[in-house]
Amino acid sequence: MPRCHFALWALFISIFGSGTTSVCGQVIITLEDSLLFKQCATLPITTPNYTFSCPTNRRYWEDEFVKEEKQAITELLKAFEKSPTDHQLAISIARNYQSVRDTSKYKTYLTYAYQQCLQQYKQFPDSFEIVRNLVHVLEEEQNFQEAVTLLNQYVAKHSKDIRALTQYALQLSNHGAIQKARFVLEEAYLLAPKHSEIYFAAMIVEFNNVILQVKKLASCPKPPLKKINAISIEDKFFKKAIANQRVTSAEVGLDAANIFAIFHRTILKVPNKKIGKENIAITLTPSDAKLLRKIERSVQKQLQSRIKIPAFVYPTLCVIKILQGKTNDAVQVFKNSGSILAQNTDLLRLLALSYCLQLDYDNAILFLRKTISIVPNSLDLYTLGCLYVYQNQLEKAGNIFDQARNINPLNKKNVCAKAAIYIQQGDFEKAYNLVDSYPSFLKDDIDSFHLNYFTALLSLTKGNKNDAFKRLKAIHAQSEYKENAKKLLAHFFKAEEEK
């Protein structure tokens, strides 16, 4: 099962500073112009990159699943030499290469595993173990459509196979078919109401349900609170199992799904506030606060019990403390978990965000750097650059934005962020040359509106008012740059409009 990785939350900033009146030694703008340029050099909002993941690997689910020991690549390769047809070894090797970011060898071994599984499937199409292995490889390849088709064919012939039904429901939800996935789980429930995998699958289905709701809000920079608070899960299935069968895994699944929904309902509201400029307290609705306290009591009870699911208990308790605004308590939970959360980049990001909202940038940077050391990526680097800007460490911020551009040269936010640093440092020429090297269009779509705005801003520094006017007028009313665009239009074009 692929890691629910849902994608949440990012940082943004407006940078202000003193001015200069020259570019390459030539006086081309007034001091007032220069100050306005710096005021309007607003770092673009980054793609939400703060998430909360619950365990999505079946081996963590209750005591019947055993955690697989991670072997070194060299040991796996030796074993693979003796058993070259063992696709599980091939998958393990592929995952290890993925963890060290060797993309080429990862794909090589994953392709080999797929070929082995496919060959076995052609010989034994009625073996669920072989079907499941093939599905796992398809999941690694993110080929959910083929996985759905494969399981659909199998379930049509084996309608009472609980394992197949739960796998089918998971794949359907990965593909966005939430209602159909719930229907399949209802069928599985009627056959074996105490089977724990059913509720694991139901939990993931509700995770995916929340993600779909969040994605619908993604197109709006500032979603209305009413729509954010409407994000919800379907809990009737869990409650029925709890009431009728007293199934512990149903209780855990319901708690996890509720936490996931509360998290998104709460954190989605943060970007509407002035991050980096004021101390922001994460606020829960009264009903969510009450539900969170109830879940916390349940999780604490599990923590004290003989049988617990560490991969669920610790992340959940950590997130609860963050949502309650108790960052230090969340850090203590993180530390108490030992190795369980040490590599959990989702929680490291959340701890960084929690400190950032309190304007504690030193700790925010500390936790975000830990995240980047585990999985370097342009989104986290962009956020780290923003944190350095908050501290007015522009040189460090600029270097970080360069690293982000090296990882993802096509990400226009990184380009604009670096241009904003140049503008703050008074180097309009470097800013212009950087932005001018990327193609830009007179539109305000999701891919180009950052670059469109900065091209307009820097066109003004070069005296190209015609191009700047067209671009500023093209900025959409909902854009994060709209207010700055109005300032620039009023300052540079008011006199011309009066003529």
Side-chain angles (χ1 to χ4, degrees):
M1 177 69 196
R3 197 162 176 263
C4 286
H5 196 103
F6 318 101
L8 286 228
W9 297 113
L11 311 174
F12 62 99
I13 182 173
S14 296
I15 316 173
F16 300 91
S18 59
T20 181
T21 61
S22 65
V23 177
C24 294
Q26 297 180 358
V27 177
I28 60 172
I29 53 177
T30 66
L31 180 59
E32 186 181 2
D33 294 341
S34 178
L35 290 171
L36 182 61
F37 289 145
K38 293 189 176 187
Q39 184 183 11
C40 292
T42 306
L43 286 184
I45 297 173
T46 187
T47 303
N49 196 34
Y50 288 90
T51 64
F52 163 48
S53 296
C54 275
T56 58
N57 192 315
R58 222 167 282 95
R59 70 175 180 265
Y60 291 122
W61 199 247
E62 296 196 343
D63 55 330
E64 67 189 62
F65 300 104
V66 180
K67 185 176 181 180
E68 180 183 338
E69 292 296 329
K70 186 176 181 180
Q71 294 175 278
I73 292 177
T74 51
E75 295 177 26
L76 290 168
L77 289 172
K78 287 179 183 178
F80 190 64
E81 286 179 7
K82 298 177 182 178
S83 306
T85 60
D86 189 335
H87 68 276
Q88 291 286 7
L89 272 175
I91 292 174
S92 295
I93 293 169
R95 286 173 177 164
N96 274 270
Y97 276 123
Q98 184 185 39
S99 68
V100 296
R101 296 182 290 283
D102 191 330
T103 305
S104 176
K105 289 183 179 178
Y106 165 70
K107 290 181 178 177
T108 297
Y109 280 94
L110 192 60
T111 300
Y112 183 83
Y114 173 75
Q115 292 169 345
Q116 290 294 317
C117 289
L118 187 60
Q119 186 176 347
Q120 291 179 16
Y121 173 69
K122 289 177 179 177
Q123 293 178 324
F124 307 102
D126 291 322
S127 167
F128 176 71
E129 284 71 22
I130 291 173
V131 170
R132 180 177 56 191
N133 291 336
L134 183 53
V135 167
H136 286 171
V137 177
L138 291 170
E139 287 174 341
E140 286 287 335
E141 294 181 333
Q142 300 293 302
N143 192 343
F144 298 126
Q145 180 58 63
E146 191 172 338
V148 168
T149 302
L150 182 67
L151 286 165
N152 182 42
Q153 293 171 352
Y154 184 86
V155 168
K157 294 173 64 177
H158 307 85
S159 59
K160 294 185 179 181
D161 189 325
I162 302 298
R163 299 169 302 169
L165 289 170
T166 55
Q167 279 283 329
Y168 187 36
L170 288 171
Q171 293 304 325
L172 285 169
S173 72
N174 286 336
H175 209 61
I178 303 298
Q179 290 298 340
K180 189 172 182 180
R182 289 170 177 161
F183 177 78
V184 170
L185 289 177
E186 286 283 359
E187 291 183 331
Y189 172 82
L190 293 174
L191 293 169
K194 292 191 176 182
H195 201 296
S196 63
E197 278 197 67
I198 295 173
Y199 307 104
F200 166 81
M203 177 185 76
I204 302 300
V205 168
E206 294 310 319
F207 283 3
N208 286 335
N209 174 40
V210 170
I211 292 170
L212 287 174
Q213 294 173 70
V214 171
K215 283 181 177 178
K216 289 180 180 178
L217 299 176
S219 58
C220 180
K222 293 185 178 181
L225 292 180
K226 185 177 180 181
K227 289 187 176 181
I228 293 175
N229 289 330
I231 294 171
S232 62
I233 64 163
E234 176 56 71
D235 59 6
K236 293 179 183 177
F237 180 76
F238 295 104
K239 288 182 175 179
K240 178 170 65 176
I242 294 168
N244 296 339
Q245 276 76 35
R246 303 290 181 184
V247 183
T248 301
S249 52
E251 295 176 6
V252 174
L254 177 58
D255 285 346
N258 270 322
I259 281 284
F260 199 71
I262 292 171
F263 171 84
H264 285 82
R265 286 197 295 262
T266 305
I267 298 296
L268 267 174
K269 301 169 189 174
V270 171
N272 285 328
K273 301 175 182 179
K274 295 180 180 179
I275 297 178
K277 295 182 180 180
E278 59 181 332
N279 196 310
I280 299 172
I282 295 176
T283 54
L284 296 156
T285 64
S287 58
D288 280 348
K290 182 179 179 180
L291 181 54
L292 212 57
R293 289 193 295 271
K294 178 178 179 295
I295 295 171
E296 183 180 7
R297 289 194 295 269
S298 175
V299 173
Q300 289 285 11
K301 186 177 178 181
Q302 282 189 53
L303 196 60
Q304 302 302 322
S305 66
R306 183 177 60 85
I307 299 176
K308 54 179 173 285
I309 311 167
F312 165 74
V313 171
Y314 286 109
T316 302
L317 193 56
C318 190
V319 170
I320 286 173
K321 295 301 181 184
I322 290 171
L323 293 177
Q324 291 174 336
K326 301 175 181 178
T327 310
N328 291 335
D329 289 350
V331 171
Q332 193 58 52
V333 172
F334 189 90
K335 291 178 179 178
N336 291 344
S337 74
S339 62
I340 294 171
L341 298 183
Q343 300 292 306
N344 192 316
T345 53
D346 292 341
L347 291 176
L348 286 167
R349 288 189 190 99
L350 283 175
L351 289 168
L353 174 63
S354 189
Y355 276 120
C356 178
L357 297 181
Q358 300 169 38
L359 308 184
D360 185 347
Y361 302 130
D362 288 337
N363 274 315
I365 288 170
L366 174 68
F367 280 98
L368 198 54
R369 279 200 170 278
K370 288 181 181 180
T371 304
I372 293 167
S373 70
I374 297 169
V375 185
N377 63 88
S378 63
L379 289 175
D380 287 330
L381 283 166
Y382 180 89
T383 302
L384 181 61
C386 290
L387 291 174
Y388 280 124
V389 171
Y390 293 154
Q391 292 187 320
N392 202 31
Q393 298 189 54
L394 298 187
E395 198 67 37
K396 280 188 178 181
N399 292 335
I400 294 296
F401 291 138
D402 283 338
Q403 292 177 41
R405 285 197 299 134
N406 289 335
I407 291 178
N408 188 356
L410 298 178
N411 189 315
K412 295 167 185 174
K413 292 189 293 293
N414 294 323
V415 176
C416 296
K418 180 64 176 184
I421 296 296
Y422 281 140
I423 293 171
Q424 295 309 309
Q425 294 171 332
D427 201 332
F428 298 113
E429 188 74 13
K430 281 187 178 180
Y432 179 85
N433 291 337
L434 174 62
V435 170
D436 192 49
S437 65
Y438 287 80
S440 176
F441 306 97
L442 288 172
K443 57 181 181 178
D444 198 31
D445 63 34
I446 194 67
D447 293 319
S448 64
F449 73 107
H450 301 297
L451 196 60
N452 188 48
Y453 170 75
F454 271 84
T455 302
L457 177 63
L458 289 161
S459 290
L460 288 171
T461 70
K462 303 292 283 187
N464 190 347
K465 287 189 174 183
N466 289 334
D467 179 74
F469 182 78
K470 291 176 183 177
R471 292 180 185 278
L472 292 172
K473 281 293 187 182
I475 291 175
H476 192 271
Q478 297 301 316
S479 170
E480 63 197 84
Y481 301 111
K482 190 61 180 179
E483 289 304 313
N484 284 340
K486 285 181 180 179
K487 292 178 185 177
L488 292 168
L489 285 167
H491 180 78
F492 286 99
F493 300 99
K494 182 178 180 181
E496 290 186 9
E497 291 174 357
E498 290 176 348
K499 287 181 181 179

